[in-house]
Amino acid sequence: MQNQFLAGRPAFARGQRRTPSLLSAGLLVSLGLSLSTLSSSGWAQAVVTDAATLPSVSVSASRDDSAAQADTVSAGALGSRKQVDTPFSTHVVTSEEAQDLMATTANDLFKYDPAVSVSSENSVSENSMFNVRGMPIDTLNSIKVDGQSFPSWDTDLPLEPFEQVELLKGLSGFMYGFGSPGGIVNYVLKRPTDDPYRSVSIDYQSAGVFSEKVDLGGRFGNDNRFGYRLNLVNEDGNTAESNGHVRRKVASLAVDFRVTPDLTWSADAFYQKRKTNGTLFGLMFASGLSIPDASTVSHSLTQPQNYYQTEMASFGTGLDYRISDNWHASLKYRFAKENRTNSDSFLYVSDDAGNYSNTLYAAMTRYFYQNVDAMVQGKFSTGSIKHDVVVGAGFQTQTSEYSNSVGWNDGYFLGNGNLYSSTLLTNDEVSIGSDLYRQQRTTQAALYASDTVQLTSRLSALVGVRYTQYRQHVYDTTGAVSSQYSADPVTPTLALMFKTDPYSTLYASYVESLEQGGSASNTNANYPATFGPLKSKQYEIGFKSDHSKWGANLALFRVDQGYNYTNSANVFVQDGTKRYTGVDASGWLALTSEWRVVGGVMWLDTKAVDVDDVSVEGKRVYGAPRFTVTGRVEYNPAYLRPLTLAFGGKYVGSEAVNADNSQFVPAYVTYDLSGRYETKIAGKDVTLRAGINNLFNRRYWTTAWGYYVSPSPTRTFVASATVQF
């Protein structure tokens, strides 16, 4: 429940509520240990008091819709619910908030959530990725579009076609089926607007990337029964990174038809093609070497032959039927495809002098997904006890196609270089391997049901269960089955919720989940070994509150997850358990009508248990910071309400690079500065935004997958102008 973590207006426009105690206010202020960025203009205008009569405020229809939607989260098999009424940790970012953040990826959306730590950025690596509470997001199973699985292997979905992006932290077994315990990222598509909507934007990013964006929506026909929403994006230019260039095109269209007042048919399609020059797969340091200070390393580690390209397309359709005031049914289908072409380098650093060998991996891979889901949600009472039930079924298929070329299996040797100097390396034999074969096919058939039982006016209980029939087949290059796995798990969810007031919930929850087993990469000695499903358990106690002038989220959690890692022999293994125990807390407070502070902190203790490898047993889990702090201060001056200024930052603690903890990347702090100004030109609403990311050009390392690191992006200036009419 953290939509208020990124923008003030939705949280400040909810009417009369109780004011916080001095103790609560003090705790929230103490969380803002450092300052973070966002221009959330006009938030002070929406601050309401406990007076009986509210002041009049001018708010556009689109923002009203955004605020209302930000209050809710799509919780998979639980249906759509208010964030404060769910017994899980959630964080929702609307499209308007994304614009204020000038976000281009999910990394940008959740950069000020203390539970989120970045593992790579698409300006320097293949794609943008992050961990939640030290656990990575599963890009094969945990990325959703309107609640349905979407292929996102080493790629980034465009943000422009989506109304909001929802992060469910932790396990999701009952709600979404298979997926890693890091969480679920659900992209909610923009749908037709009831009123005409038109906006045009021009964006700029240093050193010379320009974007043109169009967003159109409305209704037409008899009784406005037909609706549409169109988004178009064109982006091109040189980035601030060495050898960096990006080219991106996006097109999306969503339509609907109100067949009757109770029955609506909808359909959507979107397409993106993105190519980035100057990307790295990552760097690996030989055993026994320490990770050098990132600020001393050359900024020119990529080669002219390095690039990364993804192309994705999706089509979805569905029916929504309001059976009665208390009952609702839906049926939906989605097809999605991703083509991935990589021609990027893996650098193996062999000594303390920084000498490395450069191997370029060049190949194409493909992913095909299909989803069918049916769900019924309703409410009824048995005496004084109220029930909110959900019953549903789903079926999905996932197919992966890999290349069998030299460029994928062995790579092309470009030559040797040094981390502290720039060296031109090329190989005329490099070519993209397109001889694809079906490497894997997975099917999941699921039945689920839940009942949220309201025992008293304050106390309720959630009981949910999902049965999944999981089948996985792995194939060799001849098409023969090399391995296969099957599982028929029943994953329960249990929770108790107590409303301390109408806007606050104290909860305790237990969740079980299964995730797809790990696979050795083409740099592991046992490639292409694939393992069976991993089981996870999560225990969480939390409190969430969303008042008019303050909000808070607190969660104490423990997660036990099956462990897969690369051992000292460079063999990828699946062995033992990763245990994550921690506190995830955040809050915001309107100090005055002009000043607002936001802060968050996460403390995390991780260790490997019951692991056969003595060098790994008891060690910290790789890629998990022990401590993270975020904060932001926003200033909306009374003498110039159209202007909002913000300054902030994030501290991320040190992280282990590998399972045996022989290498670490150090802690780092980044700062950002931003501003937003709203005005009118020729009678049209115009919004101007500008900011500097990584204000002091801090150089640092990020780490993922248990053996490699990636360099950080350089300081970047961003700006945009949006005209709405």
Side-chain angles (χ1 to χ4, degrees):
M1 191 274 297
Q2 294 182 352
N3 58 293
Q4 79 287 345
F5 194 77
L6 288 176
R9 279 172 293 188
F12 287 167
R14 295 189 177 97
Q16 301 175 355
R17 297 185 184 176
R18 293 165 53 188
T19 57
S21 67
L22 292 177
L23 176 60
S24 300
L27 288 173
L28 291 171
V29 173
S30 69
L31 290 176
L33 301 180
S34 63
L35 303 177
S36 66
T37 185
L38 173 66
S39 70
S40 173
S41 79
W43 58 265
Q45 291 176 305
V47 175
V48 297
T49 67
D50 289 88
T53 303
L54 294 174
S56 60
V57 224
S58 175
V59 184
S60 70
S62 63
R63 288 178 189 168
D64 278 342
D65 294 342
S66 175
Q69 191 173 26
D71 284 338
T72 64
V73 61
S74 303
L78 280 180
S80 181
R81 301 196 177 189
K82 288 185 177 181
Q83 293 191 74
V84 76
D85 294 334
T86 59
F88 311 103
S89 296
T90 58
H91 184 159
V92 176
V93 185
T94 67
S95 59
E96 185 180 356
E97 294 165 0
Q99 286 181 305
D100 287 342
L101 285 168
M102 290 170 281
T104 59
T105 69
N107 280 11
D108 301 324
L109 297 179
F110 302 114
K111 66 191 299 184
Y112 293 108
D113 188 318
V116 171
S117 56
V118 169
S119 54
S120 65
E121 297 276 7
N122 68 8
S123 58
V124 292
S125 301
E126 291 184 345
N127 70 313
S128 294
M129 296 177 60
F130 60 85
N131 296 343
V132 180
R133 297 174 176 174
M135 294 168 278
I137 295 295
D138 181 351
T139 56
L140 282 178
N141 296 284
S142 297
I143 306 297
K144 311 289 182 180
V145 170
D146 281 351
Q148 295 182 301
S149 293
F150 194 93
S152 299
W153 184 255
D154 289 358
T155 190
D156 296 297
L157 271 70
L159 299 182
E160 292 84 3
F162 300 101
E163 187 60 48
Q164 68 183 38
V165 182
E166 305 166 346
L167 173 62
L168 168 66
K169 303 178 188 179
L171 272 64
S172 58
F174 159 68
M175 290 167 285
Y176 286 102
F178 270 60
S180 70
I184 296 292
V185 183
N186 183 38
Y187 293 75
V188 181
L189 278 164
K190 290 179 178 177
R191 294 296 177 180
T193 56
D194 287 337
D195 298 320
Y197 180 84
R198 310 282 187 273
S199 74
V200 176
S201 298
I202 303 294
D203 295 5
Y204 171 80
Q205 179 176 304
S206 58
V209 180
F210 287 91
S211 307
E212 303 84 36
K213 304 177 182 181
V214 176
D215 186 355
L216 308 175
R219 309 199 70 84
F220 62 94
N222 293 334
D223 300 322
N224 285 330
R225 294 172 69 184
F226 295 91
Y228 67 93
R229 190 69 178 269
L230 175 68
N231 279 263
L232 300 173
V233 180
N234 178 65
E235 182 176 86
D236 191 25
N238 294 323
T239 70
E241 307 299 332
S242 175
N243 297 320
H245 185 275
V246 62
R247 181 177 292 111
R248 183 171 68 103
K249 295 184 183 296
V250 178
S252 70
L253 176 65
V255 298
D256 68 22
F257 171 48
R258 294 171 177 171
V259 183
T260 72
D262 296 322
L263 178 64
T264 301
W265 169 81
S266 62
D268 62 79
F270 73 86
Y271 170 86
Q272 174 182 252
K273 186 173 184 179
R274 185 181 192 275
K275 182 179 181 181
T276 308
N277 293 85
T279 58
L280 283 173
F281 175 77
L283 294 85
M284 180 177 180
F285 289 80
S287 178
L289 298 183
S290 59
I291 308 297
D293 185 341
S295 65
T296 65
V297 174
S298 170
H299 291 207
S300 303
L301 295 177
T302 63
Q303 303 298 332
Q305 287 179 290
N306 291 150
Y307 74 88
Y308 190 74
Q309 178 176 290
T310 57
E311 185 177 22
M312 62 177 65
S314 176
F315 168 77
T317 186
L319 289 170
D320 285 277
Y321 181 54
R322 187 173 66 91
I323 303 170
S324 68
D325 290 341
N326 291 327
W327 290 88
H328 174 265
S330 64
L331 175 66
K332 55 186 180 180
Y333 165 82
R334 178 165 302 280
F335 167 82
K337 174 185 177 182
E338 175 193 339
N339 292 338
R340 169 180 174 266
T341 305
N342 63 292
S343 179
D344 43 16
S345 289
F346 181 78
L347 309 185
Y348 181 80
V349 183
S350 56
D351 56 40
D352 286 321
N355 294 309
Y356 66 78
S357 61
N358 186 322
T359 303
L360 184 150
Y361 290 93
M364 176 182 288
T365 51
R366 288 183 182 143
Y367 303 89
F368 301 88
Y369 280 33
Q370 291 193 77
N371 298 258
V372 180
D373 292 280
M375 186 170 70
V376 176
Q377 183 173 3
K379 299 178 180 180
F380 65 93
S381 298
T382 54
S384 61
I385 298 178
K386 298 179 180 179
H387 301 263
D388 189 340
V389 298
V390 176
V391 178
F395 179 78
Q396 63 173 278
T397 64
Q398 303 175 4
T399 303
S400 305
E401 295 182 353
Y402 283 12
S403 172
N404 189 34
S405 65
V406 172
W408 175 255
N409 294 315
D410 302 315
Y412 297 96
F413 180 66
L414 294 189
N416 298 310
N418 189 275
L419 291 178
Y420 307 104
S421 62
S422 176
T423 306
L424 179 64
L425 303 172
T426 61
N427 186 334
D428 294 336
E429 296 180 358
V430 172
S431 63
I432 300 299
S434 57
D435 51 339
L436 303 180
Y437 71 98
R438 185 170 65 173
Q439 187 268 344
Q440 184 173 265
R441 177 177 170 81
T442 300
T443 63
Q444 296 183 49
L447 297 172
Y448 55 84
S450 71
D451 187 0
T452 302
V453 184
Q454 187 172 330
L455 302 171
T456 71
S457 60
R458 291 176 177 261
L459 181 64
S460 60
L462 165 66
V463 179
V465 64
R466 174 185 288 257
Y467 165 77
T468 304
Q469 188 181 78
Y470 176 86
R471 302 291 182 265
Q472 180 184 27
H473 292 80
V474 180
Y475 304 89
D476 61 25
T477 56
T478 68
V481 176
S482 59
S483 62
Q484 56 184 333
Y485 303 97
S486 63
D488 299 278
V490 175
T491 50
T493 293
L494 303 171
L496 282 175
M497 295 167 282
F498 181 77
K499 302 292 291 186
T500 58
D501 64 50
Y503 316 106
S504 307
T505 301
L506 179 67
Y507 67 89
S509 60
Y510 170 77
V511 185
E512 290 185 6
S513 184
L514 282 182
E515 63 181 294
Q516 194 165 323
S519 299
S521 75
N522 50 7
T523 60
N524 287 123
N526 60 331
Y527 172 78
T530 301
F531 296 88
L534 291 167
K535 186 175 183 179
S536 300
K537 298 180 179 181
Q538 174 180 284
Y539 310 85
E540 181 168 312
I541 299 174
F543 174 77
K544 52 177 69 175
S545 187
D546 191 16
H547 289 249
S548 62
K549 294 183 179 180
W550 67 280
N553 301 273
L554 174 66
L556 290 75
F557 60 89
R558 171 178 152 177
V559 175
D560 288 342
Q561 177 193 16
Y563 202 176
N564 47 38
Y565 60 93
T566 298
N567 64 19
S568 56
N570 194 33
V571 175
F572 185 82
V573 297
Q574 197 158 287
D575 167 42
T577 300
K578 292 185 287 186
R579 178 162 294 164
Y580 300 80
T581 306
V583 178
D584 176 7
S586 61
W588 64 271
L589 175 66
L591 294 171
T592 70
S593 63
E594 295 183 323
W595 292 93
R596 181 172 182 268
V597 295
V598 177
V601 60
M602 182 190 70
W603 172 82
L604 184 64
D605 178 57
T606 65
K607 62 181 178 180
V609 296
D610 299 326
V611 176
D612 292 336
D613 191 331
V614 295
S615 67
V616 175
E617 174 68 22
K619 299 295 180 63
R620 284 175 59 180
V621 177
Y622 59 81
R626 183 162 287 171
F627 195 62
T628 305
V629 181
T630 67
R632 179 179 73 251
V633 62
E634 300 172 6
Y635 177 53
N636 181 214
Y639 61 85
L640 191 60
R641 283 303 193 197
L643 175 68
T644 298
L645 300 175
F647 176 73
K650 184 170 188 174
Y651 168 86
V652 179
S654 64
E655 301 175 29
V657 175
N658 44 23
D660 63 7
N661 291 189
S662 60
Q663 296 171 335
F664 280 83
V665 294
Y668 63 90
V669 182
T670 57
Y671 295 94
D672 304 280
L673 181 67
S674 68
R676 166 177 168 158
Y677 186 78
E678 293 180 328
T679 186
K680 282 186 178 292
I681 299 178
K684 308 299 182 184
D685 291 331
V686 177
T687 304
L688 305 175
R689 300 176 177 91
I692 303 175
N693 296 325
N694 195 2
L695 180 63
F696 300 113
N697 203 22
R698 178 74 161 89
R699 300 290 290 180
Y700 55 92
W701 299 106
T702 61
T703 182
W705 306 122
Y707 64 92
Y708 79 82
V709 300
S710 295
S712 63
T714 190
R715 176 172 49 213
T716 307
F717 173 75
V718 290
S720 70
T722 301
V723 181
Q724 184 176 328
F725 53 95

